[in-house]
Amino acid sequence: MVRRIRLKEAIVVEGRYDKNTLAQLVDTLILTTEGFQIFRREDQVRLLRRVARERGLIVLTDSDGAGFVIRNHLKGMLPPEQVKHAYIPDLYGKEKRKARPGKEGKLGVEGMTPEVLTAALRRAGATFLEESDAAPSPAGEITTADLYRLGLTGGPQSRARRAALYRALDLPEHLSSGGLLQVLNTFYTLEEVEDAVEGQCVTP
């Protein structure tokens, strides 16, 4: 297995395919805008602001018009001193999963090679932890087994218990269980999560 690049900053991309591609390259929190959903998702914007404040945030959208609309929206919503912008080049083609190219014929983040993405992150000023003394804050050790033990996954009431936890911690309600794990490990210790579950996630 190729060793992933550890970054201090979190990254926000447009969609899950972008996230999947990037997750094979970097070891950091990766969030999505869910395309234009970010225009209607104040809860997701609050999470992005929180991540930017705690550890810094890199915006990495596609190079087409839609990608720049989303990027410009984020520019207006996030403190500029806490955000870095990574840009991929205009490369034309079609992602393997698609039947035809996009409207502008450009490859998105999901179609970029690891070399292109690494170069884009370097140009943006990303902090590569192997090359720096910086460290993300804080780093937890919460596992999928912990989520199961706390009743947040794998049980008949898991969805309701996660929803209660999202409300208690002011997290977006549409976080997947995998996304929840990443976010919890960014902001909380296991003990803090256990306390929140005990205090908020009662069985309906």
Side-chain angles (χ1 to χ4, degrees):
M1 179 179 295
V2 177
R3 184 179 180 183
R4 294 185 298 162
I5 301 167
R6 295 178 62 240
L7 296 181
K8 173 183 180 292
E9 298 88 358
I11 301 174
V12 58
V13 294
E14 292 180 48
R16 61 188 179 97
Y17 292 106
D18 302 326
K19 179 178 179 178
N20 291 344
T21 294
L22 205 56
Q24 297 176 51
L25 174 67
V26 299
D27 179 6
T28 192
L29 173 64
I30 304 172
L31 300 170
T32 68
T33 69
E34 298 179 28
F36 290 120
Q37 290 295 318
I38 194 67
F39 288 82
R40 298 184 289 273
R41 294 283 308 283
E42 181 57 34
D43 56 351
Q44 186 74 351
V45 172
R46 287 198 303 271
L47 176 59
L48 291 175
R49 286 176 179 150
R50 185 177 181 184
V51 170
R53 182 175 63 250
E54 293 287 339
R55 60 189 293 179
L57 183 68
I58 298 172
V59 177
L60 178 59
T61 60
D62 293 350
S63 63
D64 59 6
F68 273 87
V69 169
I70 293 171
R71 184 187 295 276
N72 288 333
H73 179 71
L74 293 176
K75 281 183 178 180
M77 303 297 291
L78 300 169
E81 68 276 7
Q82 298 170 355
V83 178
K84 298 175 180 179
H85 287 270
Y87 298 88
I88 59 173
D90 284 340
L91 298 178
Y92 292 85
K94 179 184 71 66
E95 284 86 2
K96 293 180 180 179
R97 69 178 179 86
K98 295 181 179 178
R100 58 184 62 87
K103 183 177 179 181
E104 297 179 28
K106 298 176 182 179
L107 291 171
V109 169
E110 69 168 290
M112 296 292 116
T113 66
E115 293 76 16
V116 169
L117 290 172
T118 301
L121 292 171
R122 285 195 180 279
R123 287 194 300 269
T127 306
F128 289 65
L129 292 179
E130 281 78 8
E131 304 169 8
S132 169
D133 293 331
S137 168
E141 296 181 354
I142 304 163
T143 67
T144 53
D146 292 319
L147 297 187
Y148 180 80
R149 175 175 58 82
L150 293 170
L152 296 171
T153 60
Q157 302 297 333
S158 293
R159 178 176 294 183
R161 293 170 73 84
R162 286 199 305 273
L165 183 65
Y166 294 156
R167 291 192 295 272
L169 300 181
D170 193 24
L171 297 175
E173 63 178 337
H174 296 293
L175 273 178
S176 65
S177 56
L180 173 63
L181 186 64
Q182 280 192 309
V183 170
L184 292 180
N185 272 312
T186 298
F187 294 119
Y188 301 101
T189 64
L190 177 58
E191 182 178 1
E192 289 170 336
V193 173
E194 290 172 336
D195 288 344
V197 169
E198 182 178 352
Q200 300 292 334
C201 292
V202 295
T203 302

